[in-house]
């Protein structure tokens, strides 16, 4: 079937199309966004054929199931529901249980998935490009944890993810434990706290990927490509070598060098352009200083708990918080107080203009 030049679920393409009308008037804005989003060339309106077999009808079926409120697909899958090759861009999957689902070669790009479980599913060759995933599990499932009507007698239900494509996706706390993921692709993606324990992802690619706090304990990393990846920690490669399955990661094949502040700002600035908020944690201590506010696109200050303790009875603490809140307001920033332990502290912070709080006192 024919695919249009601009997909309505592709926010980057929509933004490019809209701003192209003022490209000549706003050259600096156009140049900054082009660099951030990787725009190249003119806006394309041409029609072309999809580049591999796909079924929009199966995609419509999946969409109809979700829109009708179906959140557990195990019974349907057990009795024959096969969504392989489904073509359904821009879906919303909130808290969906899709254990053992059949989604081989499905294209669910530009979708949002929140606390969804794909354990034991067949996702071979699936496309999940430009998706946003939060707390999504792809982990293989022990038989004791499989949902009915599947049999608990099997020792394991493996998640098959060979060749799955996560290009330019954003994944927050994804779980890939014990998956079969030969040649899985994460190029250009951002992964925050990904879990790859005992996963088999040989020949996978992380080219240009941002990896924050990854865990590769027992992971098979044979022939995995980390070219251009940004990984937090000066000892990132040594840490990966120590965690990976024995003999699977050849440390000598890779070199590590620090990125510049400008490179780091490109990543954080792009998040801000896309509507993500960036907090400066533990403000007032360590590296969370005023200089950080000048260099990074911060949207909110999280005031360290050392300034919050006893604020309901300590005038010095009150003056300090009042000064921080005033400074934040003048800079157009929001404030959040950490470590609020009881109602008195909460009430005083509210009086001083601190709009957000967190801690055991409000848990």
């Amino acid at each position: 079937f024919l695919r249009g030049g601009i997909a309505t679920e592709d926010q980057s393409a929509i933004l490019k199309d809209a701003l192209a009308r003022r490209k000549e008037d706003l050259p600096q804005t156009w140049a900054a966004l082009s660099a951030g989003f990787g725009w190249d060339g003119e806006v394309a309106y041409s029609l072309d054929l999809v580049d591999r077999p796909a079924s929009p009808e199966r995609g419509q079926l999946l969409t109809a199931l979700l829109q009708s409120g179906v959140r557990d697909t195990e019974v349907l899958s057990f009795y024959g529901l096969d969504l392989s090759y489904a073509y359904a861009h821009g879906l919303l999957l909130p808290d969906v249980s899709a254990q053992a689902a059949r989604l081989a070669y499905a294209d669910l790009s530009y979708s949002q998935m929140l606390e969804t479980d794909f354990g034991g599913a067949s996702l071979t060759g699936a496309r999940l490009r430009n998706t946003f995933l939060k707390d999504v599990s792809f982990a293989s499932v022990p038989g004791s944890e499989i949902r009915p009507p599947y049999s608990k007698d099997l020792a394991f239900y493996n998640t098959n993810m060979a060749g799955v494509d996560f290009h330019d996706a954003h994944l927050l706390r994804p779980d890939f434990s014990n998956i079969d993921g030969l040649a899985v692709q994460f190029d250009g993606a951002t992964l925050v706290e990904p879990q790859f324990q005992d996963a088999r992802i040989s020949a996978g690619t992380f080219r240009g990927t941002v990896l924050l706090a990854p865990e590769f304990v027992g992971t098979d990393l044979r022939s995995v490509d980390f070219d251009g990846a940004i990984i937090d920690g000066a000892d990132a490669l040594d840490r990966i070598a120590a965690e990976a399955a024995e003999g699977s990661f050849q440390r000598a094949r890779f070199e590590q060098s620090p990125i510049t502040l400008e490179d780091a700002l490109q990543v954080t600035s792009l998040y801000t352009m896309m509507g993500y908020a960036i907090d400066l944690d533990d403000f007032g201590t360590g590296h969370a200083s005023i200089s950080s506010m000048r260099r990074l696109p911060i949207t909110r200050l999280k005031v360290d708990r050392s300034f919050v303790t006893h604020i309901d009875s300590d005038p010095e603490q009150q003056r300090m918080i009042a000064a921080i809140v005033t400074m934040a307001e003048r800079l157009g920033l929001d404030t959040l107080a950490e470590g609020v332990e009881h109602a008195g502290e909460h009430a005083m912070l509210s009086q001083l203009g601190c709009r957000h709080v967190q801690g055991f006192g409000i848990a």
Side-chain angles (χ1 to χ4, degrees), residues 237-287:
L237 289 177
D238 293 331
R239 191 171 68 247
I240 293 173
E243 291 181 350
E246 185 176 357
S248 70
F249 182 72
Q250 303 301 317
R251 171 66 177 84
R253 295 181 180 177
F254 297 92
E255 294 182 359
Q256 183 175 351
S257 59
I259 62 172
T260 64
L261 177 61
E262 289 72 22
D263 292 333
L265 286 174
Q266 272 197 339
V267 176
T268 53
S269 297
L270 183 56
Y271 270 83
T272 303
M273 292 177 199
M274 295 174 65
Y276 294 93
I278 299 176
D279 289 356
L280 180 62
D281 202 16
D282 299 328
F283 179 73
T285 66
H287 297 290

Side-chain angles (χ1 to χ4, degrees), residues 293 297-301 325 327-335:
M293 295 163 52
I298 304 301
T299 55
R300 184 169 67 174
L301 301 181
V325 169
M327 177 191 66
E329 288 177 347
R330 292 189 177 183
L331 293 173
L333 303 176
D334 214 342
T335 50

Side-chain angles (χ1 to χ4, degrees), residues 335-358:
T335 50
L336 179 149
E338 301 176 314
V340 177
E341 299 293 340
H342 54 78
E345 292 174 345
H346 189 181
M348 179 55 68
L349 287 163
S350 180
Q351 290 179 33
L352 294 172
C354 186
R355 296 179 55 199
H356 305 282
V357 297
Q358 70 180 34

Side-chain angles (χ1 to χ4, degrees), residues 84-361:
S84 299
Y85 297 100
Y87 186 95
H89 284 188
L91 293 178
L92 176 62
L93 285 80
D95 195 23
V96 173
S97 181
Q99 290 186 347
R102 281 173 276 187
L103 289 161
Y105 296 96
D107 191 340
L108 308 181
S109 299
Y110 301 100
S111 295
Q112 298 182 54
M113 304 179 187
L114 312 173
E115 299 182 7
T116 295
D117 186 358
F118 290 107
S122 174
L123 290 158
T124 305
R127 281 182 177 168
L128 297 169
R129 298 174 177 174
N130 295 279
T131 50
F132 175 78
L133 283 69
K134 180 180 179 182
D135 297 316
V136 173
S137 177
F138 298 94
S140 296
V141 183
S144 59
E145 298 177 13
I146 196 71
R147 295 177 63 117
Y150 286 94
S151 172
K152 296 182 181 294
D153 293 336
L154 288 180
F156 238 79
Y157 288 81
N158 288 330
T159 307
N160 297 308
M161 299 189 67
V164 174
D165 184 351
F166 286 99
H167 270 80
D168 299 321
H170 294 82
L171 300 91
L172 177 60
R173 296 185 297 273
D175 189 351
F176 296 100
S177 299
N178 216 6
I179 65 165
D180 289 321
L182 176 71
V184 63
Q185 304 169 61
F186 292 101
D187 299 348
T190 298
L191 289 82
V192 179
E193 299 180 22
Q195 174 61 258
F196 288 97
Q197 183 173 356
D198 295 324
R200 295 164 292 281
I201 55 172
S202 57
T205 57
F206 292 86
R207 302 187 190 104
T209 305
V210 177
L211 284 161
L212 302 179
E215 289 193 19
F216 290 103
V217 177
T219 310
D220 182 353
L221 294 175
R222 287 174 294 174
S223 301
V224 168
D225 189 350
F226 287 101
D227 186 30
I230 299 175
I231 310 175
D232 66 322
D235 61 343
L237 289 177
D238 293 331
R239 191 171 68 247
I240 293 173
E243 291 181 350
E246 185 176 357
S248 70
F249 182 72
Q250 303 301 317
R251 171 66 177 84
R253 295 181 180 177
F254 297 92
E255 294 182 359
Q256 183 175 351
S257 59
I259 62 172
T260 64
L261 177 61
E262 289 72 22
D263 292 333
L265 286 174
Q266 272 197 339
V267 176
T268 53
S269 297
L270 183 56
Y271 270 83
T272 303
M273 292 177 199
M274 295 174 65
Y276 294 93
I278 299 176
D279 289 356
L280 180 62
D281 202 16
D282 299 328
F283 179 73
T285 66
H287 297 290
S289 61
I290 293 176
S291 61
S292 300
M293 295 163 52
R294 296 177 58 191
R295 294 178 299 163
L296 299 171
I298 304 301
T299 55
R300 184 169 67 174
L301 301 181
K302 296 183 71 174
V303 183
D304 187 73
R305 63 178 301 171
S306 61
F307 297 103
V308 174
T309 304
H310 305 308
I311 191 172
D312 53 332
S313 58
D314 187 339
E316 186 64 29
Q317 292 284 70
Q318 294 169 16
R319 285 192 290 271
M320 184 65 72
I321 289 292
I324 292 173
V325 169
T326 299
M327 177 191 66
E329 288 177 347
R330 292 189 177 183
L331 293 173
L333 303 176
D334 214 342
T335 50
L336 179 149
E338 301 176 314
V340 177
E341 299 293 340
H342 54 78
E345 292 174 345
H346 189 181
M348 179 55 68
L349 287 163
S350 180
Q351 290 179 33
L352 294 172
C354 186
R355 296 179 55 199
H356 305 282
V357 297
Q358 70 180 34
F360 293 116

